[in-house]
Amino acid sequence: MATIDDVAKAVGVSKGTVSSVFSKKRPISQEVTERVLAVAKELGYYPNHVARSLATRKTMIAGLKMPISRDMSLSGFEIQMINGVMKQLAKHGYRVLLDTLPEHDDPTSFSMDPVDGVILLNPRKADPRIDRYGQMGIPIVLVGRPDPDDRSLSYVDNDNEALACEVGRYLLGLGHRSVLFLNTIRDMTVASDRAAGLRRAFAERGLALDDDRIAYYSHEAYGNAAAYGYSALREMWGRLSFTAVITDTDRVALGVYRAARELGIAIPDELSVIALNNDATLAQEMEPQLTAVELYAETLGIEAASLLMDMMAEYEPQQKMIETKLIVRSSCKSLV
């Protein structure tokens, strides 16, 4: 079996140069890179990841903690997020270890993976995972605002309070005064931010948004997002009076659409629907096409990966906000 010494000798460069071509630890010219790769292929040389990890004291692996639904299906948002993370980390020679364990629901499942750093989605209020990684000395970047808003942590997020306020203003501008908000899990920081933003929009009109107008997702109660939307509308319709539903995701909206069809509720004539994230393919295939908020998930992933590289290089913590955009389609009706 060929060794790194064999490749270096055949190309006429140092072992460090050959190593850098594969690890991307430092830039190597295109000409030398191509020669090294060609000779390595000819000799049948493959870098030993374990040996390199022992030598550098790095695994060259980053963890992506992304709990997903029990049916193990990935949403458009999650796929775009993963793409962004992988694209950015690959530039630096890093691989991604995707961990889908729902450790926030079961603290005993907290995993100590062989990674150099971690990107953690959906932080909770007083999230114990953040302290655990700190105790282990593992750099961490959050996708979502920590609670409390700790500037000693690096995170990337949308301005969730502002985007929910914008959605509230949009519906109020259409004449909707009574809405149902199908929010995410109660103790996530994004849930409290979005509830606060929607309440702010109502307060600006001298109106109140009562607590019974905000529902919260639960893995135990619903299993997946579509089931949440479906069950919530069937439970709430007739018990509460509302002309519009705001859903946490487009998949929750998909469940709302299904329940509306079964209940004979016309969208948007009798019920307007808007989602707080945008899978463009899914939204445009729904009938009527779903009005939604573009969160730019791939950009969130790219920025989170960039911040993680900085944290692993011992840079100062940073916080970045990614803009959002309301995509108006045909699922909302004006009442004025």
Side-chain angles (χ1 to χ4, degrees):
M1 181 180 292
T3 67
I4 191 171
D5 291 296
D6 296 329
V7 176
K9 184 176 180 180
V11 178
V13 296
S14 69
K15 288 195 301 182
T17 297
V18 175
S19 176
S20 294
V21 167
F22 288 100
S23 69
K24 301 181 182 179
K25 187 176 180 180
R26 62 185 177 89
I28 303 296
S29 71
Q30 184 68 24
E31 179 187 355
V32 172
T33 297
E34 290 177 357
R35 284 166 50 205
V36 167
L37 293 176
V39 169
K41 182 178 180 181
E42 180 182 345
L43 296 178
Y45 168 75
Y46 300 95
N48 188 316
H49 184 80
V50 174
R52 188 171 68 198
S53 296
L54 291 172
T56 64
R57 296 186 180 180
K58 292 183 178 180
T59 66
M60 299 304 292
I61 301 173
L64 176 57
K65 301 284 186 175
M66 179 185 281
I68 61 175
S69 63
R70 288 180 177 176
D71 59 12
M72 300 302 288
S73 60
L74 291 169
S75 68
F77 177 90
E78 290 163 339
I79 292 171
Q80 291 172 46
M81 171 73 69
I82 293 170
N83 285 342
V85 170
M86 292 180 66
K87 282 181 181 179
Q88 190 64 20
L89 289 177
K91 295 178 181 177
H92 302 276
Y94 267 84
R95 297 182 294 171
V96 177
L97 175 62
L98 177 61
D99 183 354
T100 61
L101 290 175
E103 55 192 27
H104 45 59
D105 293 326
D106 180 9
T108 63
S109 70
F110 182 85
S111 55
M112 297 176 61
D113 301 314
V115 296
D116 297 331
V118 170
I119 296 172
L120 174 65
L121 269 69
N122 301 333
R124 303 298 187 96
K125 296 176 181 177
D127 198 320
R129 296 172 296 172
I130 297 172
D131 289 337
R132 289 180 186 178
Y133 283 115
Q135 291 167 2
M136 292 187 292
I138 296 177
I140 182 173
V141 171
L142 306 179
V143 179
R145 178 184 63 80
D147 180 52
D149 192 351
D150 187 348
R151 293 286 160 165
S152 70
L153 294 170
S154 280
Y155 68 87
V156 59
D157 201 4
N158 305 115
D159 189 335
N160 286 291
E161 183 172 339
L163 75 84
C165 185
E166 180 184 6
V167 166
R169 288 169 179 163
Y170 172 70
L171 289 174
L172 288 163
L174 293 178
H176 296 276
R177 296 294 181 268
S178 180
V179 304
L180 174 65
F181 179 24
L182 302 183
N183 205 346
T184 188
I185 298 170
R186 185 184 294 271
D187 69 342
M188 285 185 181
T189 56
V190 63
S192 56
D193 288 347
R194 289 179 174 179
L198 190 57
R199 284 194 167 100
R200 175 153 60 93
F202 273 70
E204 291 172 354
R205 296 291 190 98
L207 302 171
L209 183 66
D210 296 333
D211 289 343
D212 62 357
R213 301 285 170 167
I214 304 178
Y216 293 93
Y217 178 62
S218 163
H219 290 289
E220 291 77 11
Y222 301 107
N224 62 54
Y228 171 41
Y230 174 81
S231 299
L233 185 63
R234 291 194 66 93
E235 291 167 7
M236 301 291 188
W237 187 258
R239 183 158 66 86
L240 294 175
S241 175
F242 50 89
T243 59
V245 175
I246 302 168
T247 68
D248 172 49
T249 68
D250 38 37
R251 289 197 172 189
V252 178
L254 197 61
V256 169
Y257 271 49
R258 178 188 163 205
R261 286 195 302 271
E262 293 184 3
L263 294 169
I265 304 167
I267 299 174
D269 292 339
E270 296 176 86
L271 183 68
S272 292
V273 182
I274 186 168
L276 299 186
N277 84 322
N278 176 52
D279 180 331
T281 300
L282 176 61
Q284 293 178 75
E285 288 178 349
M286 295 170 70
E287 182 56 43
Q289 293 187 353
L290 181 64
T291 294
V293 178
E294 178 57 65
L295 303 178
Y296 299 104
E298 185 166 321
T299 302
L300 284 166
I302 290 171
E303 292 296 340
S306 295
L307 290 180
L308 185 61
M309 291 304 305
D310 287 348
M311 291 301 295
M312 291 189 295
E314 300 184 358
Y315 286 31
E316 290 296 315
Q318 303 173 66
Q319 299 79 37
K320 293 187 178 181
M321 302 300 286
I322 305 302
E323 293 185 358
T324 60
K325 183 179 180 180
L326 179 62
I327 310 295
V328 176
R329 297 190 180 96
S330 51
S331 64
C332 295
K333 178 182 178 181
S334 176
L335 304 180
V336 296

